[in-house]
């Protein structure tokens, strides 16, 4: 009996694998791999990534020649940039349900794609270094993702995602500010500060100067032991007001790992 059911499972798995055909779309800037039955989501993702890349280039960011997105069936649902390959966005999904609008799927997929492009854009200048906290990275991804939602909405409208929903209202810049003021985020002061840090810095130096700011950090040879000093120097170089700098000094441990590892 046991053997019979094992054989049955093996046959079922074989049939599933035969039917799951991996397809690829290649454009000038992207390579998207996906299971054929997720095609409409792969195509929608490609359009969104293209808008984000064009918008980020206007802010001064540069990107690797080809960015890869792999949409693969898995036993978990997660979207992330691969640590060993900063040009590769992995989207592991469990079922087609994961691609639906947030109400059904509980996932903000349009925002998540924009957020991951934030990691690709920052990672192309300053990959995750020991002097940054993970909230430094995630706060950036949060701010950049919300900012890019505005561009996606402007260019693709509500039709950006096959299962239409108002992603701009919930995850655009207004939604970003609103969510950071909510009770939920009050429990995460580090992530909240880091998200608002990027927003407030952009408000002061201009969002088209953020890329230059990050390049300045990189060329300053910033490291674990000098990061606070270097950061303050560069904030001053960009003529950020003293109140912002004082606030930064108070909260620096949310952004920076000042001890050497
Ligand atoms: Zn992230």
């Amino acid at each position: 009996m046991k053997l019979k059911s094992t054989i049955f499972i093996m046959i079922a798995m074989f049939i599933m694998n035969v039917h799951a055909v991996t397809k690829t779309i290649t454009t000038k800037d992207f390579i998207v791999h996906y299971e054929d039955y997720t095609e409409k989501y792969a195509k929608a993702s490609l359009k969104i990534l293209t808008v984000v890349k064009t918008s980020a280039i206007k802010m001064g960011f540069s990107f690797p020649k080809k960015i890869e997105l792999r949409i693969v069936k898995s036993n978990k649902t997660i979207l992330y940039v691969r640590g060993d390959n900063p040009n590769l966005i992995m989207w592991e999904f469990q079922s087609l349900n994961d691609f639906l609008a947030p109400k059904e799927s509980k996932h903000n997929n349009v925002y998540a794609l924009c957020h991951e492009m934030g990691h690709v854009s920052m990672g192309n200048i300053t990959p995750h270094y020991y002097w940054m906290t993970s909230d430094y990275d995630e706060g950036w991804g949060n701010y950049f993702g919300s900012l890019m939602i505005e561009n996606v909405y402007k260019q693709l409208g509500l039709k950006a995602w096959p299962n239409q929903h108002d992603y701009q209202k919930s995850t655009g810049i207004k939604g970003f500010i609103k969510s950071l003021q909510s009770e939920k985020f009050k429990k995460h002061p580090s992530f909240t500060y880091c998200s608002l840090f990027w927003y407030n810095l952009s408000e002061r130096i201009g969002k088209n100067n953020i890329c230059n700011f990050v390049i300045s950090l990189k060329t300053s040879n910033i490291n674990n032991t000098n990061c606070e000093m270097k950061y303050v120097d560069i904030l001053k170089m960009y003529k950020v007001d003293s109140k912002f700098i004082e606030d930064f000094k108070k909260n620096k441990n949310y952004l920076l790992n000042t001890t050497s590892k």
Side-chain angles (χ1 to χ4, degrees), residues 28-87:
K28 188 167 69 61
D29 300 320
F30 294 95
I31 307 172
V32 183
H33 302 282
Y34 60 97
E35 310 280 326
D36 56 353
Y37 58 92
T38 64
E39 185 156 271
K40 64 178 174 181
Y41 299 111
K43 285 186 173 169
S45 301
L46 177 60
K47 275 192 190 163
I48 291 165
L49 295 180
T50 305
V51 170
V52 174
K53 184 177 171 183
T54 314
S55 309
I57 286 172
K58 283 187 190 150
M59 288 172 72
F61 286 100
S62 56
F63 287 89
K65 220 170 174 196
K66 287 247 199 259
I67 300 167
E68 213 175 315
L69 170 67
R70 278 181 188 269
I71 305 172
V72 291
K73 178 95 168 67
S74 169
N75 56 7
K76 54 183 184 288
T77 304
I78 185 168
L79 238 165
Y80 60 101
V81 173
R82 271 266 289 266
D84 60 339
N85 183 353
N87 310 334

Side-chain angles (χ1 to χ4, degrees), residues 128-152:
H128 188 85
Y129 290 132
Y130 287 124
W131 57 264
M132 310 171 176
T133 61
S134 60
D135 282 326
Y136 179 102
D137 267 345
E138 292 311 323
W140 165 251
N142 189 21
Y143 166 64
F144 180 90
S146 309
L147 187 63
M148 289 299 129
I149 281 287
E150 302 292 341
N151 294 312
V152 171

Side-chain angles (χ1 to χ4, degrees), residues 49-246:
L49 295 180
T50 305
V51 170
V52 174
K53 184 177 171 183
T54 314
S55 309
I57 286 172
K58 283 187 190 150
M59 288 172 72
F61 286 100
S62 56
F63 287 89
K65 220 170 174 196
K66 287 247 199 259
I67 300 167
E68 213 175 315
L69 170 67
R70 278 181 188 269
I71 305 172
V72 291
K73 178 95 168 67
S74 169
N75 56 7
K76 54 183 184 288
T77 304
I78 185 168
L79 238 165
Y80 60 101
V81 173
R82 271 266 289 266
D84 60 339
N85 183 353
N87 310 334
L88 173 59
I89 303 171
M90 290 294 296
W91 187 347
E92 298 184 30
F93 70 95
Q94 295 182 74
S95 76
L96 274 176
N97 190 66
D98 293 346
F99 296 98
L100 300 179
K103 253 190 182 168
E104 288 94 17
S105 68
K106 308 274 177 274
H107 300 296
N108 282 310
N109 292 316
V110 181
Y111 163 79
L113 287 163
C114 296
H115 174 113
E116 294 312 321
M117 281 293 278
H119 291 315
V120 176
S121 65
M122 178 74 87
N124 205 33
I125 309 168
T126 48
H128 188 85
Y129 290 132
Y130 287 124
W131 57 264
M132 310 171 176
T133 61
S134 60
D135 282 326
Y136 179 102
D137 267 345
E138 292 311 323
W140 165 251
N142 189 21
Y143 166 64
F144 180 90
S146 309
L147 187 63
M148 289 299 129
I149 281 287
E150 302 292 341
N151 294 312
V152 171
Y153 183 69
K154 240 180 254 166
Q155 294 190 41
L156 305 175
L158 285 180
K159 286 185 178 151
W161 200 245
N163 305 93
Q164 278 186 37
H165 58 283
D166 199 343
Y167 56 88
Q168 191 247 1
K169 194 177 171 198
S170 53
T171 58
I173 284 293
K174 270 190 190 162
F176 164 88
I177 306 268
K178 204 176 154 195
S179 72
L180 292 171
Q181 289 165 343
S182 70
E183 286 303 313
K184 185 182 152 201
F185 283 101
K186 280 190 184 139
K187 289 178 199 141
H188 304 283
S190 178
F191 177 74
T192 303
Y193 175 80
C194 292
S195 298
L196 285 171
F197 171 83
W198 292 109
Y199 171 76
N200 289 326
L201 182 65
S202 298
E203 291 292 294
R204 280 160 175 82
I205 70 173
K207 63 180 190 302
N208 291 344
N209 236 341
I210 288 286
C211 177
N212 291 331
F213 179 86
V214 178
I215 292 170
S216 299
L217 285 171
K218 184 190 175 148
T219 51
S220 74
N221 292 321
I222 187 167
N223 59 41
N224 284 106
T225 44
N226 68 16
C227 55
E228 185 187 351
M229 187 189 77
K230 292 279 183 189
Y231 227 97
V232 170
D233 284 351
I234 291 162
L235 286 170
K236 283 181 182 165
M237 197 172 107
Y238 281 78
K239 301 193 174 16
V240 173
D241 57 280
S242 54
K243 193 179 168 292
F244 184 92
I245 295 175
E246 283 315 307

